[in-house]
């Protein structure tokens, strides 16, 4: 008897289970789950409550029929085409973790859609809308003029972007103040006596790449100095790119005395390049990085960093998407974080030993 009861408990509940539990016929329960107008609202409420109480797996499908929602939150996950890109997927694990934390306790589940580039992302977003595959979308890698944002703003479909385009559009977004971060890093190095500062940057037309250049340029302008445009390296943000950039720039007739790196991957590459040339951070060259998964604390030597936990960004993305899918005003769903400066080196030419 006990074994039979255990078997019953292990058997997923069905419509017949609901019928036995509530006393309603299978036909009535089926109609209620389809939100049929012939079933009284009180009956529907009783059936949905019973379904929820026993963990009826079709409950989400029933709610979808009743509400027109899929209870899926789509995340467009980019996969780089760069060969041997050592950092691929590392940051997105943290983003997905943060989004999952935000959705925990809700009826929503993440559905990941892998994309190759912005155009592919646009096609996938359109398919999600047209086929009703999700109730909202999260995506990143924002261009200065991003067709995904144009499409989704025009359609009114709920979405939240990690990053901002350069158009005056109203939409929910989470971002880093990249212009300020580049400005603050450059200003710090200029105050330390540096004039030849290299910026290891993403490729345009990524919006945040342009924001970083704006901040870099502003710091030199505010100091009354000419911006060393020739020391801006733009690439795929791989570790290899960081290393190659350092090796190439340091062979210039007027090489940089400091580097500002856009992420942990390029920083690791720059440090590798410096090491192969016998250069020591804090002794004869300075490096400031941007970090979002706290890797820079383990570099040798540890370097000055602007730090913003990426998991926090992911959690905010998830929270905002829940609000958008519930009808929240995108005008109220905007958050731009300023990373925290973690000083690990003086970054000062005058502080070096003679």
């Amino acid at each position: 008897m006990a074994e039979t009861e255990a078997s019953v408990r292990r058997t997923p509940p069905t419509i017949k289970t609901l019928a036995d539990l509530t006393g309603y016929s299978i036909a009535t329960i089926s109609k209620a789950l389809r939100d049929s107008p012939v079933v009284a609202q009180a009956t529907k409420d009783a059936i949905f409550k019973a379904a929820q109480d026993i963990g009826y797996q079709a409950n989400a499908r029933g709610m979808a029929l009743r509400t027109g929602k899929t209870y899926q939150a789509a995340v467009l996950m980019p996969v780089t085409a760069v060969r041997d890109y050592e950092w691929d997927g590392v940051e997105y694990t943290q983003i997905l973790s943060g989004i999952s934390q935000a959705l925990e306790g809700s009826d929503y589940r993440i559905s990941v859609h892998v994309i190759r580039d912005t155009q592919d992302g646009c096609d996938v977003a359109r398919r999600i809308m047209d086929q009703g595959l999700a109730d909202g979308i999260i995506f990143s890698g924002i261009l200065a003029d991003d067709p995904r944002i144009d499409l989704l703003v025009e359609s009114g479909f709920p979405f939240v972007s990690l990053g901002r385009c350069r158009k005056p559009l109203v939409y929910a977004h989470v971002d880093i103040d990249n212009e300020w971060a580049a400005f603050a890093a450059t200003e710090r190095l200029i105050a330390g006596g540096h004039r030849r500062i290299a910026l290891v940057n993403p490729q345009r037309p990524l919006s945040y790449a342009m924001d970083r250049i704006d901040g870099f340029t502003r710091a030199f302008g505010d100091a009354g100095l000419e911006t060393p445009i020739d020391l801006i390296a733009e690439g795929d943000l791989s570790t290899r790119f960081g290393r190659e950039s350092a090796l190439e720039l340091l062979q210039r007739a007027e090489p940089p005395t400091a580097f500002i790196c856009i992420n942990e991957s390029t920083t690791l590459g720059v440090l590798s390049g410096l090491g192969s040339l016998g250069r020591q951070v804090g002794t004869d060259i300075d490096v400031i990085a941007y970090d979002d998964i706290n890797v820079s604390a383990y570099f040798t030597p540890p370097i000055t960093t602007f730090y913003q936990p990426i998991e926090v960004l992911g959690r905010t993305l998830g929270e905002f998407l829940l609000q958008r899918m519930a009808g929240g005003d995108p005008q109220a769903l905007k958050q731009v974080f300023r990373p925290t400066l973690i000083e690990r080196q003086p970054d000062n030419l005058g502080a070096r030993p003679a």
Side-chain angles (χ1 to χ4, degrees):
M1 180 67 174
E3 184 179 351
T4 302
E5 289 177 353
S7 300
V8 170
R9 285 197 297 270
R10 287 196 298 267
T11 302
T14 64
I15 287 182
K16 186 177 185 306
T17 311
L18 280 173
D20 293 340
L21 179 66
T22 63
Y24 293 110
S25 69
I26 290 176
T28 297
I29 290 175
S30 180
K31 290 175 183 176
L33 294 176
R34 295 198 304 271
D35 198 26
S36 171
V38 303
V39 181
Q41 187 60 49
T43 301
K44 292 178 186 176
D45 291 342
I47 289 171
F48 276 105
K49 183 179 185 306
Q52 185 175 24
D53 288 344
I54 66 172
Y56 176 51
Q57 294 301 308
N59 188 40
R61 295 197 297 272
M63 291 198 308
L65 289 169
R66 184 168 62 130
T67 64
K69 295 181 178 180
T70 67
Y71 292 94
Q72 295 291 312
V75 179
L76 307 188
M77 182 173 176
V79 175
T80 181
V82 179
R83 293 184 62 185
D84 302 322
Y85 182 35
E86 304 88 347
W87 231 255
D88 197 18
V90 174
E91 293 175 333
Y92 239 85
T93 300
Q94 295 294 313
I95 293 176
L96 290 173
S97 174
I99 295 171
S100 296
Q101 291 172 33
L103 300 186
E104 187 174 356
S106 76
D107 293 318
Y108 279 94
R109 296 294 179 267
I110 293 175
S111 60
V112 176
H113 300 255
V114 176
I115 61 171
R116 295 183 301 273
D117 52 34
T118 302
Q119 184 55 55
D120 188 33
C122 201
D123 294 340
V124 171
R126 186 177 287 107
R127 184 166 67 252
I128 288 171
M129 289 192 296
D130 292 346
Q131 297 181 12
L133 301 179
D135 301 327
I137 301 175
I138 291 172
F139 58 94
S140 61
I142 308 305
L143 303 183
D145 182 1
D146 200 297
R148 296 167 297 182
I149 292 178
D150 290 339
L151 171 68
L152 294 168
V153 167
E154 183 178 356
S155 69
F157 192 80
F159 76 96
V160 185
S161 63
L162 178 55
R164 295 166 287 170
C165 70
R166 292 202 157 200
K167 288 184 175 181
L169 301 173
V170 176
Y171 55 95
H173 60 258
V174 178
D175 201 5
I176 298 296
D177 193 341
N178 284 285
E179 195 276 344
W180 175 85
F183 170 82
T186 309
E187 182 183 49
R188 176 183 172 90
L189 290 170
I190 290 173
H194 295 279
R195 297 297 180 266
R196 296 287 290 170
I197 303 170
L199 176 65
V200 182
N201 213 39
Q203 294 172 321
R204 286 172 280 192
L206 283 168
S207 189
Y208 80 109
M210 299 169 73
D211 292 342
R212 291 269 175 164
I213 292 173
D214 286 348
F216 183 70
T217 302
R218 179 164 71 92
F220 278 98
D222 286 0
L225 301 169
E226 183 177 352
T227 304
I229 298 296
D230 61 308
L231 296 182
I232 298 177
E234 299 182 49
D236 57 31
L237 300 189
S238 65
T239 306
R240 182 194 302 108
F241 167 66
R243 176 181 167 83
E244 291 175 349
S245 296
L247 292 174
E248 193 276 324
L249 292 171
L250 288 168
Q251 300 303 318
R252 300 274 182 94
E254 294 183 70
T257 59
F259 284 82
I260 297 172
C261 301
I262 190 64
N263 67 355
E264 304 94 330
S265 179
T266 55
T267 303
L268 183 60
V270 166
L271 294 179
S272 173
L274 295 176
S276 68
L277 295 175
R279 304 293 186 91
Q280 178 66 39
V281 174
T283 301
D284 54 10
I285 200 158
D286 291 317
V287 176
I288 295 181
Y290 171 74
D291 189 354
D292 53 25
I293 56 176
N294 202 29
V295 171
S296 60
Y298 304 98
F299 290 152
T300 303
I303 60 174
T304 297
T305 303
F306 283 87
Y307 177 58
Q308 173 61 53
I310 198 167
E311 186 177 322
V312 174
L313 303 180
R315 192 159 55 245
T316 309
L317 286 167
E319 292 168 353
F320 280 8
L321 187 63
L322 283 174
Q323 293 181 59
R324 276 295 290 126
M325 293 186 297
D329 182 0
Q331 180 67 48
L333 300 174
K334 302 175 182 179
Q335 179 71 57
V336 179
F337 291 90
R338 281 194 172 181
T340 301
L341 173 65
I342 301 177
E343 300 184 54
R344 298 190 177 105
Q345 298 289 336
D347 304 317
N348 189 326
L349 283 169
R352 295 175 181 170

